[in-house]
Amino acid sequence: MVGAFSTLRSKVRQVVTNVRDTATRPHPDLTSLERPELEEALATRGHQRFRAHQLFQWIYRHGVTDLASMTDLPGELRQQLAGEFSLTTPELVHRERSTDGTEKFLLRLADGQRIESVFIPDTPSMTFCISTQVGCAMACAFCLTGKMGLIRNLTAGEIVGQVRVLADALAMRAARFNIVLMGMGEPLHNYDETMKALRILADEHGFAMSPRRITLSTVGLLPALERLAREPIMPNLAISLHAPTDAARGDLVPINRKYGVNEIIEACKRFPLKRRNRITFEYVMLAGVNDSPADARRLAALLAGVKSKVNLIPLNAAAGIPFERPSDLAVDRFARILADHHLIVSVRKSRGRDIRAACGQLIVEGAKRSPAQQLAILLQPAPLRSPQ
Ligand code: SAH
């Protein structure tokens, strides 16, 4: 009798502790957990680890956004999980299609912040351009996003969430696509969440994205670049160079005053590259600033000995951006000099300019804005309309 009573008492204590635990323990977001983390989170809540496979398949393969729709999980389990985890998905607020097929997606996050993601068709493959931060701290002189300043980092779930939303909206869940981390933000300034997002995207039970289909574009934050060189999941690397000397680059990309051109190039030379892979050097061309034949020759000399390809991006001009796009002639002349020095060169066709979805034009309107950002928006030309 005494034994039974004490068993009952310990059971009651257990229930009370469980209730207290559930009440105080934060609800992890299923979309921000890598599979091993999810397995652990499930196990500590008394569930079987293999449920993580099922959850990954539902969320990433089938595009389900609530637990109730996961029909091969027992109903009771679905209810328990709903009390223990959250499952958030960015909300698609607006989508706008350019005359060239590029589409810009405005997404609202759980806290009301807004970000943009872009779909670029046939480049030659399908590409999703996604954001890693709300705004950006890098303040590059020619970039509109930079005018917003950094508002906050995205979580891994919000980074992958953009891929989930775009894949659904475009009916591309089963299609092959590439991802470029070239939307809003500096991915290496949000290192941990970005890398976690890449691991979630690579998971064999989810999108199973090969890292070869992902390109991370960065201004070259040196310590983070060195760290990236040691990652097991290695995306393609693109460096936003934009000028061949510290004097010129320092004016365009302020962080260059901390991590200079030569240091970045040395780090690139040490960067482990798979066979046939090359580092892309992005070079936004600004009329009269970095587009002279002498600049081209300096750039060629700088990149000698680096496994590189150069992507020239004629500026996407915008009011509030104090630079101009060079003439096609100047771009061709520049490209030819690089090619004569045996560099691989491409000129980026600007996509989605009529809907301000082009590089460096992602800026969320209606968000809390800095005065510089307000001015940039005020001075924007009205979006072009496609001829009917
Ligand atoms: N912060 C990262 C990724 C985002 S920007 C980076 O800097 O690489 C993606 C690319 O768009 C970068 O090469 C950037 O320099 C370029 N870009 C920014 N503003 C631009 C503009 N107005 N016109 C053309 N390219 C621009």
Side-chain angles (χ1 to χ4, degrees):
M1 189 62 200
V2 171
F5 184 66
S6 84
T7 316
L8 180 66
R9 210 168 43 189
S10 92
K11 266 198 179 145
V12 168
R13 201 179 310 127
Q14 184 63 49
V15 170
V16 169
T17 322
N18 283 351
V19 168
R20 201 187 306 131
D21 266 11
T22 339
T24 53
R25 208 193 280 150
H27 289 193
D29 191 333
L30 288 170
T31 67
S32 266
L33 297 175
E34 301 168 46
R35 197 155 45 85
E37 282 180 325
L38 177 54
E39 285 172 3
E40 203 49 45
L42 288 167
T44 56
R45 287 162 182 78
H47 307 298
Q48 289 157 303
R49 286 173 181 266
F50 80 90
R51 298 291 183 197
H53 294 187
Q54 288 176 305
L55 288 164
F56 257 63
Q57 286 182 338
W58 278 116
I59 297 170
Y60 303 107
R61 293 255 170 105
H62 305 304
V64 153
T65 53
D66 63 88
L67 282 150
S69 313
M70 302 185 179
T71 46
D72 67 353
L73 301 184
E76 194 188 343
L77 176 64
R78 278 183 259 162
Q79 267 184 2
Q80 286 170 345
L81 293 177
E84 292 162 343
F85 294 91
S86 57
L87 198 175
T88 53
T89 306
E91 182 195 344
L92 177 51
V93 179
H94 185 63
R95 106 189 236 191
E96 204 174 347
R97 194 159 195 269
S98 156
T99 46
D100 64 18
T102 301
E103 275 193 74
K104 183 164 82 168
F105 293 82
L106 176 65
L107 308 179
R108 185 171 24 234
L109 307 173
D111 67 348
Q113 290 293 348
R114 296 193 288 173
I115 50 167
E116 288 179 332
S117 321
V118 181
F119 168 62
I120 311 152
D122 40 67
T123 50
S125 25
M126 309 292 186
T127 302
F128 293 179
C129 175
I130 65 176
S131 299
T132 52
Q133 297 180 313
V134 184
C136 184
M138 297 298 117
C140 297
F142 46 80
C143 179
L144 268 187
T145 309
K147 300 237 176 281
M148 295 175 70
L150 176 64
I151 297 172
R152 72 165 171 86
N153 281 332
L154 296 186
T155 63
E158 290 167 336
I159 298 172
V160 180
Q162 297 166 67
V163 180
R164 291 166 52 222
V165 171
L166 264 60
D168 256 356
L170 296 157
M172 283 182 59
R173 202 157 278 283
R176 251 150 101 82
F177 51 83
N178 295 336
I179 293 177
V180 293
L181 301 180
M182 294 187 186
M184 302 169 89
E186 165 51 49
L188 294 189
H189 192 214
N190 181 17
Y191 190 92
D192 291 336
E193 294 300 307
T194 298
M195 293 317 298
K196 190 174 187 183
L198 296 191
R199 289 189 295 270
I200 295 174
L201 287 165
D203 194 288
E204 55 177 329
H205 296 284
F207 281 110
M209 287 278 311
S210 155
R212 287 200 154 223
R213 293 192 152 267
I214 303 179
T215 300
L216 183 153
S217 177
T218 175
V219 291
L221 301 182
L222 213 55
L225 199 56
E226 308 274 12
R227 224 176 130 191
L228 184 68
R230 297 190 298 271
E231 287 287 345
I233 291 190
M234 182 83 71
N236 300 311
L237 182 62
I239 300 282
S240 287
L241 192 62
H242 312 316
T245 61
D246 282 332
R249 192 171 190 259
D251 287 343
L252 301 176
V253 182
I255 195 77
N256 192 80
R257 291 170 211 152
K258 193 156 179 197
Y259 307 118
V261 169
N262 288 326
E263 285 175 286
I264 293 176
I265 297 297
E266 284 312 310
C268 287
K269 285 183 180 163
R270 291 191 299 271
F271 202 80
L273 291 175
K274 294 231 171 69
R275 235 163 37 89
R276 286 187 291 131
N277 205 353
R278 293 174 178 275
I279 297 176
T280 301
F281 289 89
E282 295 161 283
Y283 195 100
V284 173
M285 297 195 68
L286 311 168
V289 175
N290 64 358
D291 64 341
S292 71
D295 289 319
R297 284 190 291 271
R298 274 188 216 109
L299 180 61
L302 184 69
L303 296 182
V306 187
K307 275 182 79 185
S308 67
K309 51 187 176 191
V310 177
N311 191 203
L312 299 176
I313 316 172
L315 175 77
N316 292 313
I321 299 291
F323 299 102
E324 278 166 33
R325 185 186 183 85
S327 67
D328 289 351
L329 206 70
V331 176
D332 282 353
R333 186 180 55 189
F334 197 95
R336 202 169 299 275
I337 295 172
L338 297 181
D340 286 346
H341 285 79
H342 311 291
L343 291 175
I344 300 173
V345 196
S346 58
V347 178
R348 189 179 295 178
K349 222 168 91 186
S350 180
R351 309 289 303 249
R353 275 204 284 161
D354 56 343
I355 55 165
R356 275 187 250 145
C359 290
Q361 295 193 308
L362 300 184
I363 184 164
V364 172
E365 296 162 58
K368 207 164 144 255
R369 305 181 197 119
S370 67
Q373 191 193 345
Q374 279 169 359
L375 185 67
I377 290 167
L378 242 144
L379 297 174
Q380 282 281 320
L384 304 176
R385 293 277 160 245
S386 53
Q388 296 300 317

